[in-house]
Amino acid sequence: MCELVISGRRCLCGEVDIQGSKNAALPILAATLLTDKECVIHNCPQITDVEAAVEILRGLGARVSVDENTVCVCAANIDSNVIPKKLMERMRSSVMFLGAVLGRAGEAIICRPGGCRLGDRPIDMHIGSLRKLGAKIEEAGDCIVCHLTETKSENITLLYPSVGATENIMLMCAASGSSVRIFNAAREPEIVDLQNFLNLMGARICGAGTDCIIIRPAAKFGGAEYTVMPDRIVASTYSCAVSACGGEAYLRGAESEHMRLVLEVLKQIGTEVIKEDGGIRVAAFGRPKPLDMIKTLPYPGFPTDVQPLLSAALTTADGESRVCETIFDSRFGYAEELKKMGALISGDSHKIDIKGIPALHGANVEAKDMRGGAALVIAAAAAEGITVVSNVEYINRGYENIERDLTRLGADILRI
Ligand code: EPU
C-alpha cells in the first residue's frame, strides 16, 4: 500500500510533459485484436490500467512487448476468448474487449466489469446495441456469454452518448462487412483517436467527433503504427493544481482544442491561459475566483473527470461556488476527505456548494477513486502543513507518476 506525503503551500512553476491519454490508449489496445499483424502503439501511459489491458491481451494469446511508452501487440495466435473475472474486475474499460473479441473471434465470455467507485455503472447500452447488431448475448449471474455469426447492417440510436458503448460498437463492427450508423454517439476526442487508429488498420469509419458515426464495410485489417493523443484530463489536473497553488506552468503536449471548456472555466476562476505551439501555459496569482455554477455534461460539455479537480481548487476560492454532477451517481466521495482538511462543503450526491476559505490544512485522507484521489493531491499541495494521501493505487490507475510531475513543478511530495 502506497501513501503520498505532501508538504503544501508551494507555488508551482516550471514545465511538465503531458502523458498519453488513458481513455484513448485502452480502446486502441483492444483494437489491436482485430488484426493478425503487428501493431505498434506509441505514447501509451505507464499506468496500471494499461498493465491490466496488456494482461488481458496476453491472456487471450496475443504476443505483447512493452518498452517504456511503446506497446507492440501481435494477435496472430489468439487461443482464448475468455476474459477472466480477476482482470474484468480490475478496470471498467475491460468491457471494451467485448466488442473487440467478438469482432475478431465471433465468441466472447466476460464478467461484469469493475472500475472506480463512481456509482452504479450498468452496461445495458453496450449489450443492447451489440444484440441489435447481431450478437447473441446470454447473461448468467456475473458471466456474459456472447456469440456473433454475422454483423447486421443497422442504425443504432444510443439513448445516451455513452463513451464505452460507442467504442464497443466501433470495435465490433469495424472489421465486419456491414454498414452501421451510430446516432447520438459520444463525441469525445478519444473516440476520434480510436477512429483514426482503426482507419489506419483498414477500417472505413467517419463522423467520430460528431453525434453520427458511420462504419462502412472494410477489407481485411493490417497492422498499424500509431501515437496516442495527449491526456486532456491529466493536463486539466495540472492546470487545476496551478489554479489552486498559484504559479506558472507550461504543459508540454497538452492539446487546447480538446480542453476548450475546461480552459474557459479556468479563465473564469482567474487563471491565465496561453495557448502556445506544442502546449499550454497556465498561470495563477492569489486565490481563485468562485464559480456561480458548473455542471458536468458529455463532451463538449464540462468533463465529469475534471469535476473533482476543479472542486479542489474552488475550496480556497474567494467566495462560494456550486458544482453539479450529472453523469455519475457517486462522484463526490472526495468531498468528505476535503472536509477533513477544513474545506466547507455541503450538498448531496448530485450537487455541492463550496464556501471558499483562505487555506486548507493538512490531514490524513484517503483516495476513493482515481480523479478524487488526484483532487486530494491538488488540495494538499495548496494546503498549510502536511497531508498524507492513502490508497494511492487508485491514482496509479490513471497517472503515470503524479508526484514526479508535480515535484518537477516545485511541489514537495514523497511516495512512501
Ligand atoms: N451508462 C449506462 N449504461 C451503459 C453505459 C453507460 O447507464 O450501458 C451510464 C453510466 O453509468 C454513466 C454514464 O452512462 O452514468 C456515462 O457512461 P459512459 O459509458 O459514457 O462512460 P464510460 O465509457 O464507462 C468513460 C471514461 C470515464 C469517463 C466517462 C464519461 C474510459 C475508459 N472511461 O467511461 O473515465 O468518466 O467516459 O466521460 O474511457 C476516468 O478516466 O476517470 C473515467 C472514469
Side-chain angles (χ1 to χ4, degrees):
M1 293 289 260
C2 276
E3 290 178 337
L4 293 177
V5 181
I6 302 158
S7 181
R9 257 353 214 174
R10 311 236 165 181
C11 198
L12 300 184
C13 289
E15 299 190 355
V16 67
D17 291 309
I18 299 304
Q19 69 185 57
S21 162
K22 165 180 84 75
N23 291 347
L26 296 173
I28 285 174
L29 286 171
T32 62
L33 287 171
L34 296 174
T35 176
D36 53 8
K37 300 288 183 299
E38 186 175 74
C39 293
V40 181
I41 317 295
H42 300 292
N43 207 28
C44 266
Q46 296 181 56
I47 53 176
T48 54
D49 268 13
V50 164
E51 285 169 18
V54 166
E55 268 193 66
I56 291 177
L57 288 168
R58 285 187 176 138
L60 295 167
R63 193 162 37 80
V64 188
S65 65
V66 182
D67 181 10
E68 298 192 343
N69 295 94
T70 297
V71 180
C72 298
V73 185
C74 181
N77 297 311
I78 293 300
D79 55 13
S80 165
N81 48 28
V82 181
I83 304 178
K85 189 175 169 70
K86 209 175 93 194
L87 289 176
M88 284 300 297
E89 283 177 342
R90 233 171 102 179
M91 64 167 181
R92 157 91 188 175
S93 33
S94 47
V95 75
M96 211 62 53
F97 282 83
L98 174 58
V101 177
L102 274 179
R104 171 66 190 270
E107 281 186 354
I109 301 177
I110 64 164
C111 293
R112 292 203 163 271
C116 284
R117 291 188 264 168
L118 308 179
D120 195 18
R121 295 179 73 181
I123 54 167
D124 53 315
M125 273 187 274
H126 300 243
I127 303 283
S129 310
L130 301 189
R131 271 194 182 130
K132 195 165 180 215
L133 289 163
K136 304 226 169 339
I137 303 181
E138 287 161 39
E139 298 179 65
D142 258 3
C143 199
I144 305 176
V145 182
C146 317
H147 295 273
L148 178 73
T149 43
E150 198 186 352
T151 307
K152 290 186 194 159
S153 290
E154 272 285 1
N155 290 341
I156 295 284
T157 302
L158 294 174
L159 293 181
Y160 179 90
S162 156
V163 174
T166 303
E167 291 171 341
N168 242 334
I169 298 169
M170 291 166 76
L171 287 165
M172 189 179 87
C173 301
S176 74
S178 311
S179 293
V180 172
R181 278 169 193 256
I182 313 171
F183 294 104
N184 200 24
R187 291 186 276 170
E188 271 69 1
E190 292 76 13
I191 310 260
V192 179
D193 223 33
L194 177 61
Q195 169 181 282
N196 291 344
F197 177 65
L198 287 168
N199 284 347
L200 210 54
M201 294 173 89
R204 293 172 63 221
I205 307 179
C206 63
T210 74
D211 62 0
C212 176
I213 296 178
I214 302 170
I215 305 168
R216 294 202 172 85
K220 197 169 163 28
F221 271 29
E225 184 166 359
Y226 194 74
T227 300
V228 172
M229 62 176 263
D231 197 313
R232 63 192 169 100
I233 309 300
V234 170
S236 304
T237 304
Y238 298 152
S239 305
C240 289
V242 170
S243 307
C245 298
E248 182 179 331
Y250 178 62
L251 312 175
R252 196 180 297 105
E255 176 55 68
S256 55
E257 279 304 301
H258 299 162
M259 295 170 63
R260 264 172 201 270
L261 194 48
V262 172
L263 296 180
E264 191 50 44
V265 167
L266 288 172
K267 284 184 199 163
Q268 285 192 22
I269 67 167
T271 305
E272 281 175 33
V273 176
I274 303 162
K275 297 171 196 170
E276 294 185 5
D277 274 352
I280 302 173
R281 190 172 295 280
V282 286
F285 308 95
R287 292 171 65 184
K289 290 186 200 152
L291 271 181
D292 276 353
M293 164 75 141
I294 184 78
K295 197 185 214 178
T296 63
L297 286 171
Y299 192 84
F302 190 81
T304 171
D305 296 342
V306 183
Q307 175 266 102
L309 312 159
L310 178 70
S311 295
L314 292 174
T315 56
T316 54
D318 193 7
E320 196 166 333
S321 308
R322 172 166 286 193
V323 178
C324 194
E325 171 64 47
T326 71
I327 295 177
F328 290 108
D329 287 338
S330 180
R331 207 160 194 178
F332 288 124
Y334 64 87
E336 282 309 307
E337 303 303 301
L338 287 179
K339 284 199 223 168
K340 293 179 188 163
M341 301 174 72
L344 297 181
I345 303 179
S346 58
D348 55 34
S349 60
H350 292 289
K351 61 175 186 323
I352 54 171
D353 293 317
I354 306 173
K355 270 197 187 120
I357 55 171
L360 302 186
H361 56 75
N364 289 341
V365 291
E366 212 181 290
K368 311 267 189 193
D369 62 71
M370 183 194 310
R371 308 298 175 194
L376 297 177
V377 174
I378 292 177
E384 269 163 10
I386 293 180
T387 299
V388 179
V389 180
S390 59
N391 279 352
V392 178
E393 293 70 23
Y394 280 118
I395 302 175
N396 300 342
R397 288 187 42 203
Y399 293 83
E400 262 193 9
N401 194 327
I402 198 168
E403 73 272 20
R404 173 200 64 197
D405 291 348
L406 289 176
T407 303
R408 252 176 217 163
L409 294 177
D412 182 344
I413 309 185
L414 199 65
R415 181 182 285 250
I416 54 168

